[in-house]
Amino acid sequence: MRIVVAVKYVPDIQSERGFADGRVERVPDDGTLNELDENALEAALSLVEALGEEERAASEVVALTVGGPDAAAAVRKAFQLGVDRGVLVSDDAIAGSDYAGTAAVLAAAVRRLEQDGPVDLVLAGMAALDGLGSVVPSFVAAELGRPHLAFADRLEVDAAAGTARATCDVGHVSEELEAPLPAVVSVSDHINQPRFPNFRLIMAARGKPVEQWSLADVGLDPSRVGEAGARTRTVRAEPRPERPEAEVVVDKGDGGTALAEFLIRNELV
Amino acid sequence: MNARTVLVLLDTPATELRSPALEILTLARGLGRVEAVALEAPSLETLAQLGTYGVEHVRQAELALDDPEQRHRPPVVAAALARAVEVAGADVVLLTSSFVTKEVAAHLAHATGAGLVVDAVGVTATDDGHVVGAKTAFAGTWETECEVTTDVAVLTVRANAVVPAPAGTTVETQVAGFPVEPDAAATAVRTRSRAVHPTTGGRPDLAEAATVVAGGRGTDGDFGPVLDLADALGAAVGASRDAVFEGWFDEFVGQTGVSVAPRLYIGAGISGAPHHRGGMQSSQVVVAVNNDPECPLFEISDFAVVGDLADVLPQAAAAIRAHRQDGA
Ligand SMILES: Cc1cc2nc3c(=O)[nH]c(=O)nc-3n(C[C@H](O)[C@H](O)[C@H](O)COP(=O)(O)OP(=O)(O)OC[C@H]3O[C@@H](n4cnc5c(N)ncnc54)[C@H](O)[C@@H]3O)c2cc1C
């Protein structure tokens, strides 16, 4: 089984995050692997680990990311969790890509990986904690012409039957879905508890190279990506004015009444 | 000004339209001539609502499907909308914003080559005719505007973006069918089972409600006080992810749960972790109840009570009920 996990390098959620020139500001060393992608990496690794010895030996988990040179850090983190191979697609022409542009690069990289053998599954997290769009996996699926199982809480793959089954709980609807392989699956944060890197893996990760590909390497026309290909552009980005300090009441037996009075005074009741 | 045609996807045509759909109908009217798209026959209530919102035409998709359950699949809905864009010559498609509609919007944008903005909190147009979606970013600490540069624009709009407002005059609403034949790729996923769980206790839907009361680990498993205050306010109930993972409640607010932007959000026994804030920081008024005066949720609150939620919430609920009774 060959699984490609699409991962993203994002600003740390605890850091001061902002925009510069209409794009997410990337402060060196303040970035990290998107936490929700750890669920996708965990899902990929545990699918492979559940296989018989022979199949397992023939399997491969590839972490794939698109971004600036810093984004290699996300792939290195994936190595520490145990993925076999890591690819960063990086090219000046990619900067300013919208969802469709980013997905086109990911899809082209998957096709390039297929030159070494078929890819059964493309996995992704449910959202990137910077943009929170949750739409790139759908675009990747559409771009590759493959079925998409979104926000899987459970995932079973039957390689022999060539199917993936997922349980998805979104909004007020629970569904059991089945897709023929190859497929694209995004996983929720309920699907598993991601593993922690251990010493052995951290040491092994040091020796693994992050393969760097350009747009030409994945055979994608630069006009489809970056600002040239983008169908949307950010025309304004401003920090919101800070909220004035809260009115704080320490409860001395009338805290609830004070709360009710605040709501009534502000016509919120 | 050119006469734009704006399509609005109706989430629940078979019953009646809920606030988020009425909100996007309100926004759509500001952009051009509005038509509605439905995948099921609209009910009489829906038609009456559309009439008061000034919508004359509903386009109802007639889907050629082997399995009728497939009509819920996002690529199938997207195929219907893509066809509707073609037959109506539409320039803009507005959808409400949920994980499902965002998936629909992505497939639609891919199929039509449209520019996509998700989770917009406002929609306007530039002088030269481009559609612009307003958004908030980084847990509500930034505001951005995203302009769609293509001819067709697709936007998903978050609940509570505007107050729904009927049109000045009521019109007669007509339904016309249009055939849609989703391709093999759109129907490749098979639905083995599908179950819908309505919200518990007849409370408003968390994603849509104007008031939300949420409980966290500080409830120590007893959501009684949270439910009590919510019911006094007619509010929806939510939780932190930790409280849901403990099994104390079924839906959580946050970046990976339900994003809410109500008029009033009350968080009780919730510390205010960045992941939680990311899903509620766009709320207009934030109130926090916590026994820790240093709790981070206080930093983004308008009003805070330092105290035990088990005391504060029931007292507040009783005071609100008393106020309501006096008013009545
Ligand atoms: C990838 C990822 C995604 C996540 N997504 C989300 C998300 O979408 N939503 C979400 O909520 N979390 C999310 N989390 C979890 C988040 O980081 C926090 O762990 C969680 O929000 C904390 O929940 P809490 O506030 O209920 O608990 P705690 O942080 O333990 O806070 C409990 C609070 O209750 C107070 N308290 C205790 N007793 C009382 C009392 N008697 N009266 C009043 N106050 C009391 C305490 O002072 C404390 O402030 C995510 C985490 C990860 C890693």
Coordinates of all heavy atoms in Angstrom, one line a residue, chain A residues 35-36 39 129 189, chain B residues 215-219 239-243 252-257 268-276 289-292 295-296 307-310, ligand 1:
Chain A
E35 N -1.0 20.7 13.5 CA -1.3 19.7 14.4 C -2.3 18.6 13.9 O -2.2 17.5 14.2 CB -2.0 20.3 15.7 CG -1.0 20.8 16.7 CD -1.8 21.5 17.8 OE1 -2.2 22.6 17.6 OE2 -1.9 20.9 18.9
L36 N -3.3 19.1 13.1 CA -4.3 18.2 12.6 C -3.8 17.3 11.6 O -4.5 16.3 11.3 CB -5.5 19.0 12.1 CG -6.2 19.9 13.2 CD1 -7.2 20.9 12.5 CD2 -7.0 18.9 14.1
N39 N -2.9 13.7 12.9 CA -3.9 12.7 12.8 C -3.9 11.9 11.5 O -4.1 10.7 11.5 CB -5.3 13.2 13.0 CG -5.5 13.9 14.4 OD1 -5.5 15.1 14.5 ND2 -5.7 13.0 15.4
L129 N -4.6 24.8 10.7 CA -5.0 25.7 11.8 C -4.6 27.2 11.5 O -4.8 28.0 12.4 CB -4.4 25.2 13.1 CG -5.0 23.9 13.7 CD1 -4.3 23.3 14.8 CD2 -6.5 24.2 14.0
D189 N -10.1 15.0 14.0 CA -9.2 14.9 15.1 C -9.7 13.9 16.1 O -9.1 13.7 17.2 CB -9.0 16.3 15.8 CG -10.3 16.9 16.3 OD1 -11.3 16.6 15.8 OD2 -10.2 17.8 17.1
Chain B
G215 N -20.0 25.0 28.2 CA -19.4 24.5 29.4 C -18.2 23.7 29.2 O -18.0 23.1 28.1
G216 N -17.2 23.8 30.1 CA -15.9 23.1 29.9 C -15.6 22.1 31.0 O -16.5 21.7 31.8
R217 N -14.4 21.8 31.2 CA -13.9 20.9 32.2 C -14.3 21.4 33.6 O -14.5 20.6 34.5 CB -12.4 20.9 32.1 CG -11.8 19.6 32.7 CD -10.3 19.5 32.3 NE -10.0 18.7 31.1 CZ -10.3 17.4 31.1 NH1 -10.8 16.8 32.1 NH2 -10.0 16.7 30.0
G218 N -14.5 22.7 33.8 CA -14.9 23.3 35.1 C -16.3 22.8 35.5 O -16.6 23.0 36.7
T219 N -17.1 22.3 34.6 CA -18.4 21.7 35.0 C -18.2 20.4 35.8 O -19.1 20.0 36.5 CB -19.3 21.4 33.8 OG1 -18.6 20.4 33.1 CG2 -19.6 22.6 33.0
A239 N -19.8 23.0 24.2 CA -18.9 22.6 25.2 C -17.5 22.9 24.7 O -17.3 23.3 23.6 CB -19.1 21.1 25.5
S240 N -16.5 22.6 25.5 CA -15.1 22.6 25.1 C -14.8 21.2 24.5 O -15.6 20.2 24.9 CB -14.1 22.9 26.2 OG -14.1 21.9 27.1
R241 N -13.8 21.0 23.8 CA -13.5 19.7 23.3 C -13.2 18.7 24.4 O -13.6 17.6 24.3 CB -12.3 19.7 22.3 CG -12.1 18.4 21.5 CD -11.0 18.5 20.5 NE -9.7 18.3 21.1 CZ -8.6 17.9 20.5 NH1 -8.7 17.6 19.2 NH2 -7.4 17.7 21.1
D242 N -12.5 19.2 25.4 CA -12.2 18.3 26.5 C -13.5 17.7 27.1 O -13.6 16.6 27.5 CB -11.4 19.0 27.6 CG -10.0 19.2 27.2 OD1 -9.7 19.4 26.0 OD2 -9.1 19.3 28.1
A243 N -14.5 18.6 27.3 CA -15.8 18.2 27.9 C -16.5 17.1 27.0 O -17.1 16.2 27.5 CB -16.7 19.4 28.1
F252 N -18.8 20.4 20.5 CA -17.9 21.4 21.0 C -17.7 22.6 20.1 O -17.8 22.5 18.9 CB -16.6 20.8 21.5 CG -15.7 20.2 20.4 CD1 -14.8 20.9 19.8 CD2 -15.9 18.8 20.1 CE1 -14.0 20.3 18.8 CE2 -15.1 18.3 19.1 CZ -14.1 19.0 18.5
V253 N -17.4 23.7 20.7 CA -17.1 24.9 20.0 C -15.6 24.9 19.8 O -14.8 24.6 20.7 CB -17.5 26.1 20.8 CG1 -17.0 27.4 20.2 CG2 -19.0 26.1 21.0
G254 N -15.2 25.4 18.6 CA -13.7 25.6 18.4 C -13.3 25.3 17.0 O -14.2 25.1 16.1
Q255 N -12.0 25.4 16.7 CA -11.5 25.3 15.4 C -11.8 24.0 14.7 O -12.0 23.9 13.5 CB -10.0 25.6 15.4 CG -9.7 27.0 15.8 CD -8.3 27.3 15.6 OE1 -7.4 26.5 15.8 NE2 -8.0 28.5 15.2
T256 N -11.8 22.9 15.5 CA -12.1 21.6 14.9 C -13.5 21.2 15.2 O -13.8 20.1 14.9 CB -11.0 20.6 15.4 OG1 -11.1 20.5 16.9 CG2 -9.6 21.0 15.0
G257 N -14.2 22.0 15.9 CA -15.6 21.6 16.2 C -16.5 22.6 15.5 O -16.4 22.8 14.3
A268 N -18.4 28.9 30.4 CA -18.4 28.6 31.9 C -17.4 27.5 32.1 O -17.6 26.4 31.5 CB -19.7 28.4 32.4
G269 N -16.4 27.6 33.0 CA -15.5 26.5 33.3 C -14.7 26.2 32.0 O -14.3 25.0 31.9
I270 N -14.5 27.1 31.2 CA -13.7 27.0 30.0 C -12.5 27.9 30.1 O -12.6 29.1 30.3 CB -14.5 27.3 28.7 CG1 -15.6 26.2 28.5 CG2 -13.6 27.4 27.5 CD1 -16.4 26.4 27.3
S271 N -11.2 27.3 29.9 CA -10.0 28.2 30.1 C -9.8 29.1 29.0 O -9.3 30.2 29.2 CB -8.8 27.2 30.3 OG -8.6 26.5 29.1
G272 N -10.2 28.8 27.7 CA -10.0 29.7 26.6 C -8.7 29.4 25.9 O -8.0 30.3 25.5
A273 N -8.5 28.1 25.6 CA -7.3 27.7 24.8 C -7.4 28.2 23.4 O -8.6 28.5 22.9 CB -7.3 26.1 24.7
P274 N -6.3 28.5 22.7 CA -6.4 29.0 21.4 C -7.3 28.3 20.4 O -8.0 28.9 19.6 CB -4.9 28.9 20.9 CG -4.1 28.9 22.1 CD -4.9 28.2 23.2
H275 N -7.3 26.9 20.5 CA -8.2 26.1 19.7 C -9.6 26.4 19.9 O -10.5 26.4 19.0 CB -8.0 24.6 19.9 CG -6.6 24.2 19.6 ND1 -5.7 23.9 20.7 CD2 -5.9 23.9 18.5 CE1 -4.6 23.5 20.2 NE2 -4.7 23.5 18.8
H276 N -10.0 26.7 21.1 CA -11.4 27.0 21.5 C -11.7 28.4 21.0 O -12.7 28.6 20.4 CB -11.6 26.8 23.0 CG -13.0 27.0 23.4 ND1 -14.0 26.0 23.3 CD2 -13.7 28.1 23.8 CE1 -15.1 26.4 23.7 NE2 -15.0 27.7 24.0
V289 N -17.3 32.8 32.9 CA -17.4 32.5 34.3 C -16.4 31.5 34.6 O -16.3 30.4 34.0 CB -18.8 32.0 34.6 CG1 -18.9 31.6 36.1 CG2 -19.9 32.9 34.2
N290 N -15.5 31.8 35.5 CA -14.3 30.9 35.8 C -13.8 31.2 37.2 O -13.8 32.4 37.6 CB -13.2 31.2 34.8 CG -12.3 30.0 34.7 OD1 -11.7 29.6 35.7 ND2 -12.2 29.4 33.5
N291 N -13.5 30.2 38.0 CA -13.0 30.5 39.3 C -11.5 30.9 39.4 O -11.0 31.1 40.4 CB -13.3 29.3 40.3 CG -12.6 28.0 39.8 OD1 -11.8 28.0 38.9 ND2 -13.0 26.9 40.4
D292 N -10.9 30.9 38.2 CA -9.5 31.3 38.1 C -9.4 32.7 37.5 O -9.7 32.9 36.4 CB -8.7 30.3 37.2 CG -7.3 30.7 36.9 OD1 -6.8 31.7 37.6 OD2 -6.6 30.1 36.1
C295 N -7.7 33.2 34.1 CA -8.0 32.3 33.0 C -8.0 33.1 31.7 O -8.5 34.3 31.6 CB -9.4 31.6 33.2 SG -10.8 32.2 32.3
P296 N -7.4 32.5 30.6 CA -7.2 33.3 29.3 C -8.5 33.8 28.7 O -8.4 34.8 28.0 CB -6.4 32.3 28.4 CG -5.9 31.2 29.3 CD -6.8 31.2 30.6
G307 N -15.7 33.1 39.8 CA -16.5 32.4 40.8 C -16.8 31.0 40.4 O -16.4 30.6 39.3
D308 N -17.5 30.2 41.2 CA -17.8 28.8 40.9 C -19.1 28.8 40.0 O -20.1 29.4 40.4 CB -18.1 28.1 42.2 CG -18.2 26.6 42.0 OD1 -18.7 26.2 40.9 OD2 -17.9 25.9 42.9
L309 N -19.0 28.2 38.8 CA -20.1 28.2 37.9 C -21.3 27.6 38.5 O -22.5 27.9 38.1 CB -19.7 27.6 36.6 CG -19.4 26.1 36.5 CD1 -20.7 25.3 36.2 CD2 -18.4 25.8 35.5
A310 N -21.1 26.6 39.4 CA -22.3 25.9 40.0 C -23.1 26.9 40.8 O -24.3 26.7 41.1 CB -21.8 24.8 40.8
Ligands
LIG1 C1 -5.4 19.8 17.3 C2 -6.2 20.3 18.5 C3 -7.5 20.8 18.2 C4 -8.3 21.3 19.3 N1 -9.5 21.8 18.9 C5 -10.3 22.3 20.0 C6 -11.6 22.9 19.7 O1 -12.0 23.0 18.5 N2 -12.3 23.3 20.7 C7 -11.9 23.2 22.0 O2 -12.6 23.6 22.9 N3 -10.7 22.6 22.3 C8 -9.9 22.2 21.3 N4 -8.7 21.6 21.6 C9 -8.4 21.4 23.1 C10 -7.9 22.7 23.7 O3 -6.5 22.8 23.4 C11 -8.1 22.7 25.2 O4 -7.4 21.5 25.7 C12 -9.5 22.6 25.6 O5 -10.2 23.6 25.0 C13 -9.6 22.9 27.1 O6 -10.9 22.6 27.6 P1 -11.5 23.3 28.9 O7 -11.3 24.8 28.7 O8 -12.8 22.8 29.1 O9 -10.5 22.7 30.0 P2 -9.4 23.4 30.9 O10 -8.4 24.0 30.0 O11 -8.9 22.3 31.8 O12 -10.1 24.5 31.6 C14 -11.1 24.3 32.6 C15 -11.4 25.7 33.2 O13 -12.4 25.6 34.2 C16 -12.1 26.4 35.3 N5 -12.8 25.8 36.4 C17 -12.6 24.7 37.1 N6 -13.6 24.5 38.1 C18 -14.4 25.5 37.9 C19 -15.6 25.9 38.6 N7 -16.1 25.1 39.6 N8 -16.2 27.0 38.2 C20 -15.7 27.8 37.3 N9 -14.6 27.5 36.6 C21 -14.0 26.4 36.9 C22 -10.6 26.3 35.4 O14 -10.1 27.5 36.1 C23 -10.2 26.3 34.0 O15 -10.0 27.6 33.5 C24 -7.9 21.2 20.6 C25 -6.6 20.6 20.9 C26 -5.8 20.2 19.8 C27 -4.5 19.6 20.1

